[in-house]
Amino acid sequence: MESEDDFTDAVTQAVNAAFGIKYLFPWQRIVVQNILDAAMEEEVLPPEGEGENENSLELRDVVYRGRQIVLLPTGAGKSLCFLAPALLLKGATLVLYPLLALMSDQKRRMDEGGLESVVFRGGMSEEEKNENFKRIKSGAKIILANPEVLQNPSLIKRLRECKISHIAIDEAHCVSEWGDTFRPAYLTLGKIIEDLGVKVVTAFTATASPAVLSRVSQVLFGGEVHVVRSDSDRPNIHYRVINAMAKKRAVVKLALEAEKPLIIFCGTRNKTEDMARELMSCYGNDKVRFYHAGLEKEEKTAIEKWFHPKEDAILCCTCAYGMGVDKKNVRSVLHYEASPTAEAYVQEAGRAARDGGLALATLVWSPNDSEERKKLDLNHRGRVLMSFAESSTCRRQVLLDALGGEEAPCEGCDVCKRGGPAPFAEDGSQALKFIFFHRKVYSSAELIPELIKCFNAKDRKSCGINIWEHSDMEEILQSLLKEKYIYKCSFPWKGKIDLTKKALTLLRQLYLRRRLPLRQGQLSLPGL
């Protein structure tokens, strides 16, 4: 086997020539060395059980390390872990991606580095496939594909004839996250690896809880795998939760105030388009786009190309955009709705600050979100985001614990900075304060226009425009009624709105928290 000096010389020279990278991080070096060693020793290893001695057992351990799951945080350079070996291996490297957007972005980077690659995707003609195989035969180093396209037996047969040296499975947590639901092709990857006859396989992910890790290991490797894991924390990403009752308006306000470039993750295609339209009216049509799986391939490509060089843009998207896409200078990530799991949230928040700078990841959380997550089983992984959003301790550690990660000093989350949990929803408390000074004066219908004027007068200073609408105030009042902070009076103030004792106690706590005096006539809260 090569010495470390030989490795350093050969690999660093190759990546420097191709990508202008002058060094590899320690974790990258470990992964790359495992791949290169396993690929080389596979050629000289005797069949299992035949003539084994001390040396061959050592070689078999090297091959065992050729079946790796690699956990590196987002932005740590996972792609280089399979691109660097690809420059030196005899055969091609097959790289499996979950999303077309990710394949397109990686192909762009490879083209820029002069690393020839071919793409197999659904709907290709035989002529296109034949052209790809000609390029592989001529020396193309990278084959890009997704699990679905590999369900074709004739394609597998032709790929086997290409003598692939290494298979890299990017975003491998999708095996567990999607394989049992809407992407069953992921569950066939173990069989596909066997059919292709490739012995050196590496699965990469930034996020995997122990349960996910076990599932990926079983599907891909039959449970026998070598795990390489670095620290999970991204200290340059700061976490914050904003409590809101009118979530849509809170996101609009936060988007106008956020440092750009900004990504806003929305839960559905309709909400993605709706949010983009809202922000276009506030921020300008040339500064905002939307992206989701319902777009045509040409539309997605155009949006990716538009967003990549931008310094001041906002992209509203579903989870169809994000994984592995290498826009390094994203400064803010907003979640209109919480991700389904901690893994998904860390992946999406991790789109920010891939350049090593600081970034802010903000989750907007409402009482309805809490109510929906409480319906889940206590052991359901989806409850982690509720724990994260409602935590009275470090939010960063909640995520790390969910991922089976390390204990880490918090470099930045709103709980640690403030010394306590997030306060009550700001829009709700603002409405309660207005009602406090106008108790039993307005009905719900009469309150709405007054609240709109009050809210817009306050936020016009920071946003520059009126952003609050009738539907926002309806949403806030309905939430306050449901949570029993306000009620409708009976005779003689029939239909007028007043505060409950629960609301008065809350307002007192909020004022004490902010160290504001409780002056007579302002917030004396009689009877408390």
Side-chain angles (χ1 to χ4, degrees):
M1 287 181 277
E2 295 173 299
S3 71
E4 186 172 340
D5 289 340
D6 293 335
F7 163 83
T8 302
D9 183 67
V11 175
T12 54
Q13 284 187 23
V15 298
N16 187 28
F19 306 110
I21 296 171
K22 298 185 183 302
Y23 64 93
L24 278 73
F25 293 110
W27 292 110
Q28 291 173 317
R29 290 162 55 86
I30 291 171
V31 174
V32 172
Q33 182 110 41
N34 285 347
I35 292 168
L36 292 175
D37 283 352
M40 180 179 67
E41 302 302 344
E42 177 62 30
E43 300 175 4
V44 300
L45 186 66
E48 190 167 355
E50 292 185 14
E52 286 190 343
N53 53 38
E54 185 177 339
N55 290 333
S56 62
L57 288 174
E58 181 182 349
L59 294 180
R60 195 171 297 286
D61 180 62
V62 171
V63 176
Y64 184 72
R65 292 203 304 273
R67 299 193 295 269
Q68 301 181 93
I69 296 179
V70 178
L71 292 99
L72 295 174
T74 302
K78 292 187 294 295
S79 296
L80 198 61
C81 291
F82 58 80
L83 292 178
L87 297 169
L88 301 173
L89 292 171
K90 289 182 180 179
T93 296
L94 172 62
V95 187
L96 302 183
Y97 290 117
L99 304 173
L100 291 175
L102 184 48
M103 290 169 64
S104 299
D105 185 71
Q106 292 294 335
K107 184 167 185 0
R108 174 189 58 78
R109 295 176 62 201
M110 293 171 197
D111 291 343
E112 290 174 355
L115 188 61
E116 187 177 3
S117 62
V118 300
V119 177
F120 286 98
R121 50 179 173 72
M124 292 182 71
S125 67
E126 286 302 313
E127 290 76 15
E128 289 175 312
K129 292 178 185 176
N130 290 335
E131 179 59 29
N132 276 351
F133 282 110
K134 285 181 184 177
R135 292 176 61 191
I136 295 170
K137 189 175 181 180
S138 299
K141 285 290 188 179
I142 300 290
I143 303 169
L144 307 175
N146 59 32
E148 282 74 14
V149 79
L150 296 182
Q151 302 306 300
N152 185 332
S154 64
L155 180 62
I156 293 294
K157 181 180 178 182
R158 295 186 70 179
L159 285 172
R160 184 183 177 94
E161 294 169 357
C162 295
K163 303 295 183 184
I164 293 169
S165 294
H166 177 218
I167 295 177
I169 302 166
D170 203 12
E171 310 298 350
H173 59 280
C174 295
V175 171
S176 173
E177 296 289 320
W178 296 351
D180 293 309
T181 52
F182 65 99
R183 298 286 293 274
Y186 267 101
L187 301 184
T188 70
L189 287 181
K191 179 65 165 56
I192 288 170
I193 291 167
E194 182 181 337
D195 290 345
L196 288 172
V198 180
K199 302 298 184 182
V200 185
V201 181
T202 312
F204 295 89
T205 184
T207 53
S209 63
V212 171
L213 188 63
S214 175
R215 178 67 167 148
V216 173
S217 170
Q218 190 62 44
V219 170
L220 298 182
F221 306 105
E224 296 184 352
V225 68
H226 180 71
V227 177
V228 178
R229 182 171 199 159
S230 75
D231 292 342
S232 303
D233 189 28
R234 288 278 305 282
N236 60 324
I237 296 180
H238 293 186
Y239 295 102
R240 173 177 69 166
V241 174
I242 297 295
N243 292 290
M245 293 179 172
K247 284 181 64 177
K248 179 179 175 182
R249 203 56 49 198
V251 172
V252 170
K253 180 181 173 183
L254 289 165
L256 293 173
E257 298 170 346
E259 187 177 357
K260 313 299 186 299
L262 163 67
I263 296 176
I264 302 176
F265 282 101
C266 307
T268 66
R269 298 177 188 182
N270 287 340
K271 287 185 177 180
T272 299
E273 294 188 19
D274 182 56
M275 180 55 64
R277 284 191 291 268
E278 288 279 346
L279 291 172
M280 285 176 186
S281 66
C282 301
Y283 201 62
N285 291 351
D286 60 329
K287 300 291 181 65
V288 184
R289 295 285 188 278
F290 64 83
Y291 187 106
H292 56 63
L295 299 178
E296 297 294 331
K297 179 175 180 290
E298 294 75 15
E299 293 176 299
K300 293 177 183 176
T301 300
I303 293 167
E304 291 160 19
K305 289 181 178 178
W306 167 82
F307 189 50
H308 193 266
K310 292 289 185 180
E311 298 285 339
D312 60 349
I314 299 174
L315 182 66
C316 303
C317 62
T318 63
C319 63
Y321 181 90
M323 285 192 295
V325 176
D326 192 28
K327 180 171 171 61
K328 296 185 181 298
N329 65 335
V330 173
R331 298 270 72 90
S332 306
V333 173
L334 258 172
H335 274 81
Y336 185 0
E337 284 151 331
S339 309
T341 63
E343 287 92 342
Y345 182 74
V346 171
Q347 280 279 345
E348 291 162 2
R351 297 307 103 221
R354 294 170 70 92
D355 58 1
L358 293 178
L360 180 62
T362 304
L363 169 64
V364 181
W365 188 256
S366 74
N368 286 338
D369 292 325
S370 183
E371 186 177 326
E372 288 301 313
R373 296 283 169 138
K374 284 177 181 175
K375 295 176 184 177
L376 300 174
D377 184 82
L378 286 175
N379 295 320
H380 195 286
R381 287 165 52 230
R383 288 182 70 102
V384 173
L385 264 293
M386 182 177 74
S387 300
F388 171 80
E390 300 177 2
S391 178
S392 60
T393 59
C394 177
R395 299 195 200 278
R396 183 182 303 276
Q397 196 59 51
V398 172
L399 294 176
L400 290 173
D401 289 346
L403 299 176
E406 71 281 3
E407 289 191 16
C410 186
E411 299 289 341
C413 84
D414 55 346
V415 172
C416 291
K417 284 183 176 179
R418 252 199 321 265
F424 187 72
E426 183 181 345
D427 52 4
S429 62
Q430 188 175 342
L432 288 177
K433 280 183 260 184
F434 181 89
I435 295 169
F436 176 83
F437 294 116
H438 303 87
R439 297 175 68 176
K440 304 177 183 178
V441 174
Y442 300 111
S443 66
S444 292
E446 293 164 341
L447 255 178
I448 287 174
E450 297 300 322
L451 288 172
I452 290 173
K453 286 189 288 186
C454 174
F455 276 57
N456 278 327
K458 176 178 179 290
D459 290 325
R460 196 181 301 120
K461 299 172 185 176
S462 59
C463 297
I465 57 174
N466 293 330
I467 63 171
W468 294 91
E469 300 175 355
H470 189 280
S471 59
D472 304 319
M473 299 307 147
E474 279 189 326
E475 193 172 4
I476 292 170
L477 291 179
Q478 287 172 4
S479 185
L480 291 173
L481 280 167
K482 184 177 180 180
E483 298 294 318
K484 294 182 170 50
Y485 286 102
I486 61 175
Y487 69 97
K488 293 181 180 179
C489 298
S490 55
F491 182 83
W493 298 283
K494 186 173 177 62
K496 304 301 182 182
I497 299 298
D498 196 6
L499 302 177
T500 64
K501 282 191 174 182
K502 180 180 178 181
L504 293 171
T505 301
L506 173 69
L507 287 175
R508 182 183 181 89
Q509 291 171 345
L510 290 174
Y511 266 66
L512 289 173
R513 179 188 182 93
R514 296 171 187 174
R515 303 178 186 275
L516 295 176
L518 304 180
R519 296 193 296 273
Q520 181 66 31
Q522 182 188 28
L523 196 60
S524 57
L525 307 183
L528 296 178

